[in-house]
Amino acid sequence: MARALMSVSDKQGLVPFAQALTELGYEIVSTGGTLRTLQEAGIEAIAIDDVTGFPENLDGRVKTLHPRVHAGLLARRDLPEHMETLAELDITPIDMVVVNLYPFKHTIQKPDVTRADAIENIDIGGPSMLRSAAKNAQDVLPIVDPDDYNEVIERLQTDNVDQTYRHGLAAKVFRHTAAYDALIADYLTDEDFTKQKTETYELVDNLRYGENAHQDAAAYRDALPTDYSVLSANILHGKKLSYNNIRDADAALRIIADFSEPTVVTVKHMNPAGIGQGDTIEQAWDRAFYADDISIFGGIVALNREVDLATAQKMHKIFLEIIIAPSFTDDAYAELAKKKNLRLLTLPFTNDIPQAVELTSILGGTVMQHRDLLEEKRENYEVVSQAQPTEAQLATLEFAQTVVKHVKSNAIVVATDNQTLGIGAGQPNRIDSVKLAVDHASTKDGFDKAVLASDAYFPMDDSVQYAADHGIKAIVEPSGSIKDQASIDKANELGIVLVFSGNRHFKH
């Protein structure tokens, strides 16, 4: 007779699965609450104590950590000496392990969880049984996922449990226990950059393709997901998100979190195309759209206020991929939902993104850093030019420098106090970014009041020269170049304001 050991926290599907196993001739051994559930359902099961000859103890901390369990799991059926040892010790082989683990993740997500509660929900016996079974999967079926119950029964009924299937279940077990341990390690760890880094993610969706059609892709969320994430958004309308949609939407959410007043951010290829602010969300949209009414075609829009009908009617006129907002009025939704493929997303907006370590894949590894959550504050700026900024210019410089940290380096932003007018992104040299931003901005109303922000220092004075020659009256940059004085001298020569923020914002 085959023997199955069952010990589960998640009892979804347990009873019908156990019933099917008994009909296939399996003898069931079980523990604690699982045993009670089976017995209450009229399914015959043997208590683990009767197998080990040792009572559960230490408030249930020790139940299955016993040689009679693990020898029954680890004995190789193809080695006579293993089977002889089992016979000598009167140990019955175990042919299947059905285990899912203490709800550690659920426990630590409780707002009032204590360290003691978390510790008590670290499963020891469960992972040990699963790992033993998975190591010996050629002889023992290791089952950790209730979603596998039906297929297991079907394969047993048709005698179709081959080694490929067994190896697949074993791999799932080790992924599961590794993820479980990673979550525990993360919870117990206070350091950010540890000697070993363990991360775990959960599949959200397999995507149609990646950045291009020939690249496979999937989306994974953090094991402890956050509400302020495109992967947690409520998709009200439209087809599912693509790889590029997700990346662009994430960029939009990062940008708009820096602003509290009514703000609209338009994004294309992970760079802001335009940012506008206003007394109303419609006014903010008008300014963001005016900032760059060409690049927004096929782009992403994030709004940090509810979308009203007037704003929706304006957005409806152009081709957009995604609109993200805290909410939509009923009539705004009805207007935008006329477009079949336009994705409409909602999620709770916030200005409080938690600091965290972010990983970027490289060939052969990863690099890690803290998020750039530095808040730009004009009171910390140093005016280094003879020309002094007005209060209005300082406020505009702060706004532009806040935007520039979200633009791919080399990054230049030309802006007024409530909208961007020109953005130069991702150029190999800074002067080309300056030219792109200034030339685009110079065609816009309000350019006479515009300022320029740079994500890093000017290596030469040519950027100051070009900006001043084309009408820019105030510049903010971090400083740090051995030629800072040349830029200061040029600003003084040309009679414009130069401010050092002290904060570099490279974004690669």
Side-chain angles (χ1 to χ4, degrees), residues 35 41 54 82 101 182 213 215 251 272 302 463:
L35 178 65
F54 206 86
H82 280 200
L101 308 178
Q215 295 171 264
S463 293

Side-chain angles (χ1 to χ4, degrees), residues 274-423:
I275 298 178
Q277 299 185 305
D279 296 328
T280 66
I281 202 65
E282 181 185 4
Q283 188 178 53
W285 161 258
D286 290 340
R287 288 170 175 165
F289 179 70
Y290 181 74
D292 192 336
D293 58 357
I294 296 175
S295 299
I296 186 51
F297 183 83
I300 311 293
V301 179
L303 312 91
N304 65 356
R305 296 292 191 277
E306 182 174 67
V307 178
D308 56 22
L309 178 59
T311 308
Q313 288 172 333
K314 291 178 178 181
M315 291 191 289
H316 183 267
K317 294 176 181 178
I318 60 175
F319 169 54
L320 298 171
E321 290 275 2
I322 299 174
I323 299 173
I324 315 171
S327 58
F328 297 81
T329 64
D330 290 344
D331 50 4
Y333 173 81
E335 177 72 13
L336 293 167
K338 294 175 184 176
K339 291 195 169 184
K340 178 181 178 182
N341 292 326
L342 174 62
R343 291 94 160 172
L344 303 177
L345 278 60
T346 60
L347 74 168
F349 275 58
T350 182
N351 297 116
D352 186 22
I353 295 179
Q355 186 53 271
V357 171
E358 297 191 315
L359 285 66
T360 300
S361 295
I362 60 172
L363 294 175
T366 186
V367 290
M368 308 176 194
Q369 66 173 352
H370 284 134
R371 292 171 176 155
D372 183 0
L373 300 180
L374 183 69
E375 183 180 356
E376 287 293 327
K377 294 183 178 179
R378 56 185 179 270
E379 57 264 31
N380 297 330
Y381 290 176
E382 179 187 5
V383 180
V384 294
S385 59
Q386 293 170 358
Q388 295 296 301
T390 65
E391 282 301 312
Q393 282 178 320
L394 279 173
T396 306
L397 290 168
E398 181 185 86
F399 170 70
Q401 192 72 346
T402 298
V403 173
V404 83
K405 78 177 185 179
H406 298 288
V407 179
K408 291 291 186 71
S409 299
N410 288 313
I412 299 292
V413 169
V414 176
T416 64
D417 63 337
N418 54 33
Q419 68 185 143
T420 59
L421 296 181
I423 295 175

Side-chain angles (χ1 to χ4, degrees), residues 94-220:
I94 299 172
D95 305 288
M96 179 188 297
V97 163
V98 183
V99 168
N100 52 62
L101 308 178
Y102 290 175
F104 182 80
K105 174 181 172 179
H106 176 73
T107 299
I108 63 174
Q109 286 180 304
K110 295 177 181 177
D112 57 347
V113 65
T114 65
R115 177 63 65 94
D117 289 337
I119 295 298
E120 284 308 310
N121 278 277
I122 295 176
D123 202 326
I124 302 300
S128 299
M129 287 188 292
L130 284 170
R131 288 171 61 84
S132 291
K135 177 174 180 175
N136 200 27
Q138 64 182 17
D139 297 314
V140 182
L141 274 177
I143 303 168
V144 71
D145 186 351
D147 288 342
D148 289 328
Y149 291 171
N150 288 339
E151 184 176 1
V152 168
I153 294 300
E154 290 171 4
R155 285 179 174 270
L156 289 171
Q157 290 170 339
T158 58
D159 194 23
N160 188 27
V161 183
D162 57 18
Q163 289 302 317
T164 298
Y165 183 64
R166 289 174 175 273
H167 292 160
L169 290 178
K172 179 179 280 193
V173 161
F174 285 114
R175 290 195 303 271
H176 186 80
T177 57
Y180 190 79
D181 285 343
L183 199 59
I184 296 168
D186 183 67
Y187 178 79
L188 296 175
T189 299
D190 296 322
E191 305 169 62
D192 284 333
F193 304 107
T194 52
K195 189 172 183 179
Q196 287 86 31
K197 191 69 176 177
T198 55
E199 299 287 336
T200 182
Y201 303 95
E202 297 177 355
L203 181 68
V204 176
D205 202 1
N206 288 301
L207 306 176
R208 289 177 58 203
Y209 52 82
E211 285 182 295
N212 301 289
H214 58 274
Q215 295 171 264
D216 294 334
Y220 288 80

